[in-house]
Amino acid sequence: MDIMTSVGLVAGIVVIATMMLLGGDLHMFVSEHAMIIIFGGSTAATMIRFPLSALMHGLPLGAKFAFTMSRLSAHDLVDELARIAEIARKQGPVGLEKVETDEPFLAKGIRYVADGYDLDFIRDNLERDRDNFLMHLDEGSKIYRAVGDCAPAFGMVGTLIGMVQMFANMTDPSKLGPFMATALLATLYGALVANLFCIPIADKLHGKLLDEETNRTLIIDGILMIRDSKSPTLVREMLLAYLPEKHRHAEGEPVPA
């Protein structure tokens, strides 16, 4: 669970709700017309911008990864792959059949080695799997960013509609307040949807895409070296290159200048 995403959303909602309550009650900030223009318009524009397949894959995958963390960090993966290389060296590929891991992509690579697939088959399948996953995660990031781009624009559209309705009914003072409220609330909703939810999630997904690309490429290289019967020490040293310099050494071990 990526607790920072949840904490950030809750904190943002609490701040906004507190400011609303300080000036009255929440009911004055509810407008069905503003909701329709923001959510309906943003949804329609996003459907025009992306094909259905991208929406079906990108939205749920993006929502999932915005609130979850990778089961293993890059440093954990290096340790795990070195451990697996040690097992393969002592027991051969058959010994990998009993190896268990929390990382599904790594488990798939281990199964390929245990089943005796050749090097090219393992490389091609794992790279294809990685690229497809990253493509869908990138689609999720782009979709949330697109909604974040659309929401403020449709907030402005809602404001213009409310202003037109207000000026068209200047002779009826009882309608001026509701139309002005709709105009202002549309802008408010658009700003909140974009800046509290969609754009932050798009940025979060982009960062996780970079992390997943590193982790999965690290796994592929490690699995290929294990398949090639490389020593555990060599596997570890080669994979440590994926880590930042300060993370390449065990806790308590001095980092070279």
Side-chain angles (χ1 to χ4, degrees):
M1 180 72 178
D2 187 349
I3 192 172
M4 293 305 295
T5 302
S6 301
V7 169
L9 282 174
V10 171
I13 292 172
V14 169
V15 169
I16 300 300
T18 301
M19 293 302 297
M20 291 177 176
L21 290 171
L22 289 176
D25 60 68
L26 294 178
H27 291 91
M28 68 175 64
F29 292 95
V30 176
S31 170
E32 294 81 2
H33 295 86
M35 290 182 183
I36 291 172
I37 190 64
I38 295 300
F39 294 104
S42 298
T43 300
T46 304
M47 291 171 65
I48 295 171
R49 186 175 296 186
F50 295 95
L52 179 61
S53 59
L55 294 173
M56 295 295 291
H57 287 102
L59 278 174
L61 187 66
K64 175 184 176 182
F65 271 80
F67 292 91
T68 57
M69 297 286 289
S70 297
R71 292 177 175 85
L72 298 173
S73 66
H75 198 287
D76 293 334
L77 287 172
V78 173
D79 294 338
E80 185 79 353
L81 285 162
R83 180 182 70 85
I84 295 168
E86 183 68 29
I87 295 174
R89 188 179 191 184
K90 292 180 178 179
Q91 304 177 22
V94 177
L96 298 180
E97 294 180 355
K98 298 181 180 180
V99 173
E100 296 182 356
T101 178
D102 294 331
E103 178 56 56
F105 188 71
L106 176 57
K108 178 182 289 189
I110 295 171
R111 178 169 58 81
Y112 286 161
V113 176
D115 290 344
Y117 290 110
D118 64 75
L119 207 65
D120 291 335
F121 175 89
I122 296 174
R123 178 187 294 109
D124 292 344
N125 276 270
L126 291 181
E127 287 181 349
R128 189 178 301 113
D129 190 305
R130 175 200 62 192
D131 294 343
N132 285 335
F133 172 81
L134 294 177
M135 178 186 68
H136 293 317
L137 193 58
D138 185 50
E139 286 175 343
S141 175
K142 290 178 179 178
I143 290 170
Y144 281 99
R145 190 172 299 280
V147 177
D149 291 339
C150 291
F154 277 99
M156 183 58 65
V157 171
T159 298
L160 294 175
I161 292 174
M163 296 293 288
V164 169
Q165 292 172 332
M166 184 185 70
F167 287 124
N169 290 273
M170 292 292 289
T171 56
D172 187 355
S174 65
K175 294 182 178 180
L176 298 183
F179 287 141
M180 176 60 76
T182 298
L184 296 177
L185 287 175
T187 300
L188 175 63
Y189 288 177
L192 289 178
V193 169
N195 296 292
L196 183 59
F197 186 72
C198 290
I199 292 178
I201 284 184
D203 290 337
K204 174 65 71 73
L205 292 177
H206 179 69
K208 290 193 173 183
L209 184 148
L210 298 178
D211 291 340
E212 286 292 330
E213 182 177 17
T214 298
N215 289 354
R216 295 190 177 221
T217 303
L218 185 154
I219 289 173
I220 292 173
D221 286 352
I223 289 296
L224 293 178
M225 285 190 283
I226 292 171
R227 176 62 181 82
D228 208 22
S229 302
K230 301 297 184 183
S231 71
T233 302
L234 178 60
V235 171
R236 178 184 293 276
E237 290 300 320
M238 292 290 289
L239 296 181
L240 283 175
Y242 283 96
L243 275 60
E245 181 65 31
K246 63 180 180 180
H247 295 153
R248 296 180 186 178
H249 304 276
E251 188 175 351
E253 180 182 346
V255 178

